[in-house]
Amino acid sequence: MNLADYRRSARAWLQENVPADDRPGGDPIARAKEFMAKLHDAGYSGITWPRRWGGQGLTQAEERAFAAEARGFTLPTYVFSIGLGMTGPTLVDRGTDAQRERFVRPLLRGEEIWCQLFSEPGAGSDVASLQTRAERDGDHWIVNGQKVWTSVAHHADWGLLLARTDVEVPKHKGLTMFVVDMHHPGVTVRPLKDMTGRSNFNEVFFDDVPIPDEHRVGEVNDGWSVAVTTLLHERLSISAGVGMSGQKEDPTSLEALRRVVDTGDPLVRDELVELHIRSRALALFNQRLAQETEAGIFPGARGSAAKLLLAELTMFQADLATRLAGPEAVLGDSPLAHAISLAPAMSLGGGTNEIMRNIVGDRVLNLPPEPRVDKTVPFKDLKVGTQG
Ligand SMILES: Cc1cc2nc3c(=O)[nH]c(=O)nc-3n(C[C@H](O)[C@H](O)[C@H](O)COP(=O)(O)OP(=O)(O)OC[C@H]3O[C@@H](n4cnc5c(N)ncnc54)[C@H](O)[C@@H]3O)c2cc1C
């Protein structure tokens, strides 16, 4: 099928199958799962993922064509965004065939929900300082510790868990990646309320939770390199809006704002032009990264630049909307108030703006790196968690 036909079929499918977002009552997670299964059956879930593991084996061109059509709809796919954008691609890249066979298709069909268990109270930007321990016990590992800010953990069936397996070596060298069953006894999930008033992320506690060794992803003590794979996918997927695409009405977008502000005012027009330029620049940058990926050039640390641009654009939009719509924009539970209070999260989740700048400086611009002592000292000799 040529691209124009593909796009026409995608549009027709979306028109027929995307549920109205104002359907009252019922279980929204069950509805989201039902939608995801239909999306997969129609060939629009995992468009570029390998056919062998349940994907469609198509190219970035089809992926972009579908995303462009989906922009006019609100797809109920948010709860799958961690699986589709981060943990799924990590399993495809770094999992065993048995893990891919077991996990990837159910993830693409929305049968199982995933979360990503990296951050801890003392380990966010510096995630390699994490203290959750996994200790070997025969053909299992026993996990104890705490994670925090874990998006969608309260709905998750599986989690991609980074844990410490060796304290005798420098901190990056003693980590291992696992798949953990979120329903296992000993896993406790406590939702946290964010400033939008909703609970999208959680604290997660592990008390003697066993994980079979076949659920280890990558080699023992090679978890850092697996985590880097996840983080690269995370930054690219956040900037490209994987699982979050298709928000029909972003109330801070140019299209929404131009309907409610005085576009005859030259100062307002100036601001809207600036918004247009920034949005367009990011869209073109993302398109370039996608085309390069298709040509076999992995974007690497430039994904951090895309994520930084998106975080800055999101804050710019929120500030602009507040200035143009007035203080009442942030009152109540309107979609605009929600978008404005959610905006700062983009500058933190997936790595803060400061960390993105450090990565771009270090790995894209080749500027001198920050001085580090923690790459050589064994983890047990670092004063982790006691630093100011
Ligand atoms: C909406 C949202 C969703 C999230 N979802 C998940 C999830 O699903 N799974 C998960 O594991 N985590 C998740 N996180 C956690 C997120 O990855 C961390 O919040 C982030 O990495 C920052 O860590 P921290 O909050 O511990 O801040 P800290 O690392 O303590 O940073 C505090 C401040 O210091 C600055 N800083 C720290 N180090 C440096 C440095 N070297 N140079 C310059 N400045 C520095 C930071 O930029 C920041 O401003 C989520 C966070 C948010 C906001």
Side-chain angles (χ1 to χ4, degrees):
M1 189 187 304
N2 70 34
L3 210 54
D5 287 344
Y6 181 86
R7 207 168 161 149
R8 247 192 309 280
S9 316
R11 191 181 317 143
W13 188 88
L14 287 160
Q15 278 162 351
E16 201 166 312
N17 292 284
V18 176
D21 40 272
D22 50 1
R23 274 201 289 168
D27 175 357
I29 299 298
R31 284 209 299 267
K33 286 185 164 188
E34 192 189 312
F35 175 78
M36 204 61 203
K38 277 207 279 185
L39 192 72
H40 186 260
D41 290 343
Y44 299 121
S45 171
I47 292 171
T48 59
W49 298 35
R51 287 187 74 83
R52 187 173 170 203
W53 311 120
Q56 310 302 330
L58 297 173
T59 70
Q60 293 282 345
E62 282 87 4
E63 174 99 68
R64 278 199 304 280
F66 183 77
E69 288 304 326
R71 225 160 274 140
F73 299 85
T74 302
L75 309 191
T77 52
Y78 171 75
V79 78
F80 307 110
S81 56
I82 305 290
L84 294 171
M86 296 148 212
T87 66
T90 305
L91 290 175
V92 169
D93 285 356
R94 305 294 300 269
T96 61
D97 279 359
Q99 289 166 352
R100 295 172 177 133
E101 188 75 55
R102 165 62 188 85
F103 294 119
V104 176
R105 190 181 295 271
L107 182 157
L108 285 175
R109 289 183 56 76
E111 288 163 9
E112 294 177 335
I113 296 173
W114 281 74
C115 65
Q116 177 192 338
L117 297 147
F118 287 15
S119 303
E120 296 185 5
S125 300
D126 183 15
V127 74
S129 289
L130 62 83
Q131 303 194 58
T132 293
R133 289 295 305 271
E135 287 173 286
R136 188 113 200 194
D137 180 16
D139 56 1
H140 278 69
W141 297 81
I142 306 297
V143 179
N144 282 286
Q146 183 196 346
K147 298 289 173 178
V148 73
W149 315 128
T150 318
S151 303
V152 305
H154 50 317
H155 300 302
D157 301 292
W158 297 101
L160 191 67
L161 169 79
L162 189 60
R164 184 158 307 281
T165 39
D166 192 345
V167 294
E168 304 289 337
V169 291
K171 62 182 184 180
H172 292 84
K173 298 192 172 157
L175 302 169
T176 305
M177 192 71 84
F178 300 94
V179 170
V180 61
D181 176 356
M182 294 298 288
H183 301 299
H184 202 286
V187 179
T188 307
V189 178
R190 292 199 194 133
L192 294 166
K193 215 176 241 190
D194 64 33
M195 74 186 204
T196 66
R198 304 181 189 189
S199 295
N200 290 316
F201 48 34
N202 305 268
E203 294 179 293
V204 182
F205 299 85
F206 296 93
D207 293 303
D208 287 333
V209 177
I211 299 180
D213 190 52
E214 66 258 31
H215 284 185
R216 169 168 49 78
V217 183
E219 297 303 317
V220 175
N221 290 343
D222 192 31
W224 184 248
S225 84
V226 183
V228 168
T229 302
T230 311
L231 294 172
L232 289 170
H233 282 296
E234 174 168 25
R235 281 146 201 177
L236 287 168
S237 75
I238 289 177
S239 62
V242 171
M244 298 168 207
S245 62
Q247 297 304 321
K248 182 164 35 179
E249 184 70 309
D250 171 1
T252 66
S253 67
L254 176 64
E255 293 69 28
L257 287 177
R258 69 193 293 179
R259 286 201 303 272
V260 295
V261 300
D262 175 10
T263 50
D265 179 334
L267 293 178
V268 171
R269 292 167 74 90
D270 217 31
E271 303 259 42
L272 294 181
V273 168
E274 174 71 18
L275 174 53
H276 174 67
I277 292 169
R278 287 189 185 214
S279 310
R280 196 75 196 111
L282 177 60
L284 290 172
F285 187 45
N286 275 329
Q287 187 175 328
R288 178 173 170 173
L289 295 183
Q291 280 167 343
E292 288 184 3
T293 306
E294 194 169 293
I297 306 166
F298 194 61
R302 285 176 308 145
S304 296
K307 200 263 163 180
L308 173 63
L309 286 173
L310 177 64
E312 292 191 328
L313 173 65
T314 306
M315 274 314 290
F316 176 79
Q317 281 181 252
D319 285 347
L320 181 61
T322 311
R323 272 186 285 123
L324 296 184
E328 59 275 16
V330 290
L331 296 177
D333 194 27
S334 68
L336 182 58
H338 184 250
I340 289 170
S341 53
L342 194 60
M346 189 56 80
S347 312
L348 302 169
T352 67
N353 286 7
E354 290 75 21
I355 297 301
M356 296 303 107
R357 285 200 179 84
N358 284 352
I359 293 172
V360 171
D362 188 359
R363 306 217 197 112
V364 181
L365 304 175
N366 288 322
L367 299 176
E370 283 190 277
R372 309 276 302 252
V373 291
D374 55 5
K375 290 209 157 170
T376 48
V377 179
F379 179 76
K380 67 177 170 39
D381 297 332
L382 286 173
K383 292 194 170 47
V384 172
T386 58
Q387 289 139 328

